[in-house]
Amino acid sequence: MGRGWSLLFGIGFLVGAAWASQRSLEYRRHGVVVEGEVVKVDARVTRDGSSLSYSERAVVRYTPSNGGPARTLEFHWATPLLGGHEPGERVRVRYLPDEADAAREDSLLFDWLLPVVLACLGLAGLTGRLRWSRHEEHVLWRSSDN
């Protein structure tokens, strides 16, 4: 990857980091925290070549603090190492008052993981440190004289 591409990707990552940071701050400042219950845990096994990968997704039911109908929240697919849940377990859910359906697990780690990773990638891009993992030479034309 050339210096120009690295710079372009770096700027994109920094814009993404700014957006994710702003969104996390919005949830932290104005979000409402309620307790929910894990009602189900979906599991899947995927195969990539010769390796197998196991991941889980918890489904949580919560009721907004202003009453109203109960809502469900599906966590993202993740390895059980990042916080496996069991049915019946109580978890904290954070949502914005105007967006009760756009809830997320109340976790400081998960709120700031994405902005920090994007900021690191952005800084690497700005300094020209983003590189392809393998260096391949692309030949567009080869004559018979070679």
Side-chain angles (χ1 to χ4, degrees):
M1 177 183 309
R3 173 90 171 121
W5 284 109
S6 180
L7 182 64
L8 186 64
F9 278 114
I11 291 170
F13 284 132
L14 286 178
V15 168
W19 177 83
S21 297
Q22 184 274 333
R23 193 71 173 155
S24 290
L25 279 174
E26 185 178 10
Y27 269 87
R28 284 276 159 204
R29 288 184 180 157
H30 306 293
V32 177
V33 179
V34 295
E35 196 168 273
E37 180 181 356
V38 177
V39 292
K40 163 173 96 163
V41 177
D42 295 326
R44 74 176 175 188
V45 176
T46 56
R47 183 182 184 129
D48 183 23
S50 62
S51 65
L52 293 175
S53 173
Y54 176 78
S55 55
E56 294 180 346
R57 176 180 64 186
V59 178
V60 176
R61 181 175 294 128
Y62 67 98
T63 303
S65 62
N66 63 359
R71 293 181 162 87
T72 58
L73 164 65
E74 290 183 352
F75 290 173
H76 295 286
W77 289 99
T79 67
L81 296 174
L82 292 177
H85 296 286
E86 298 291 327
E89 182 180 344
R90 308 296 287 175
V91 295
R92 292 167 42 109
V93 174
R94 185 179 293 262
Y95 66 91
L96 295 173
D98 299 338
E99 304 174 32
D101 289 328
R104 55 171 69 171
E105 183 177 7
D106 184 36
S107 168
L108 190 61
L109 172 69
F110 290 141
D111 276 350
W112 291 107
L113 184 63
L114 180 63
V116 168
V117 168
L118 288 176
C120 290
L121 287 171
L123 291 175
L126 290 181
T127 60
R129 302 285 187 223
L130 290 181
R131 302 275 188 243
W132 293 116
S133 61
R134 57 183 169 192
H135 301 287
E136 294 182 4
E137 192 174 304
H138 298 283
V139 177
L140 296 177
W141 177 267
R142 185 176 304 242
S143 71
S144 61
D145 296 340
N146 293 348

